Amino acid sequence: MHCAQNNPIMPVERLLTCALLATLALASVAGWSAPAPWYWWYSRLDGQRHCAQFSPGPGWEQGPGPFRDLNCSIPHPMTRS
């Protein structure tokens, strides 16, 4: 019989090792992410336009895009599907 099987600390060490590895794996994937693209949003109420990454709320329709900057002036290399 191996002495490590009787050691109550081993499961905790194994748990901490697994938690550390999972954290490192998730951190490495997060490094691949890119910022969300920007779009023009048009108000259904008065036609005003607003450049944002996400809808300002109900009553807004998505317009042209995507763009790379907050002024909606630099086209984003990705294509709309």
Side-chain angles (χ1 to χ4, degrees):
M1 188 182 254
H2 193 271
C3 65
Q5 292 175 344
N6 295 330
N7 187 348
I9 296 176
M10 285 300 290
V12 173
E13 289 176 353
R14 183 172 293 152
L15 178 65
L16 290 176
T17 301
C18 289
L20 176 63
L21 291 174
T23 301
L24 291 174
L26 290 174
S28 67
V29 171
W32 293 336
S33 64
W38 297 79
Y39 292 91
W40 280 115
W41 294 90
Y42 292 97
S43 169
R44 292 182 190 149
L45 181 64
D46 59 8
Q48 289 185 4
R49 69 179 189 168
H50 175 71
C51 183
Q53 291 176 313
F54 303 100
S55 172
W60 292 83
E61 292 182 351
Q62 184 175 335
F67 296 94
R68 292 174 64 164
D69 64 324
L70 59 97
N71 295 319
C72 289
S73 60
I74 302 171
H76 197 284
M78 70 180 250
T79 58
R80 250 175 118 164
S81 52

